[in-house]
Amino acid sequence: MFRRGVKKSGKIIELSLIESPSALPASSWEFPPGEYVLGRNPTCDILLLDPTVSRLHARIFYSEGEWFIEDLGSTNGTRVDDVEIKGKGPVKLKDGCKIVVGKSVLQVKFK
């Protein structure tokens, strides 16, 4: 499957859940360079309890000094700053951009 959390030197990514249909309080995750899976499956690195999020929805990974996201064939797609990325391969993430998966919205910050 995916190699998770492979440590490399580079910028840390922080993902903050800023909107969600679930009643859970806002959450945030920080990751060093590596590869991480986002979805509804309890084995995901970024677990979102949103029924509109696929079990394995997207992967976020660090490559050649940049962070990227790629939709993993999710049912409801993935949007980055209002652009649908499903089927487009990896898309570079920018500081402050918003990722929409299902009805959940994450904001990206680099440290």
Side-chain angles (χ1 to χ4, degrees), residues 63-109:
S63 179
E64 298 181 14
E66 302 292 344
W67 281 96
F68 295 86
I69 187 168
E70 182 175 23
D71 185 272
L72 295 175
S74 67
T75 300
N76 294 313
T78 303
R79 300 179 71 78
V80 176
D81 286 338
D82 294 323
V83 176
E84 178 60 54
I85 67 162
K86 184 177 177 180
K88 295 184 178 178
V91 173
K92 183 178 166 184
L93 293 172
K94 298 176 189 157
D95 193 46
C97 71
K98 291 183 181 170
I99 300 169
V100 178
V101 290
K103 293 182 180 175
S104 296
V105 181
L106 299 159
Q107 187 155 28
V108 173
K109 183 176 180 181

Side-chain angles (χ1 to χ4, degrees), residues 23-52:
L24 296 174
S27 298
S28 67
W29 300 264
E30 279 189 18
F31 296 107
E35 186 167 324
Y36 307 94
V37 178
L38 178 152
R40 219 177 59 238
N41 190 312
T43 64
C44 288
D45 303 294
I46 304 161
L47 177 62
L48 296 174
L49 302 175
D50 174 348
T52 62

Side-chain angles (χ1 to χ4, degrees), residues 48-62:
L48 296 174
L49 302 175
D50 174 348
T52 62
V53 171
S54 294
R55 288 181 180 273
L56 300 175
H57 198 101
R59 72 181 181 120
I60 293 174
F61 64 98
Y62 190 79

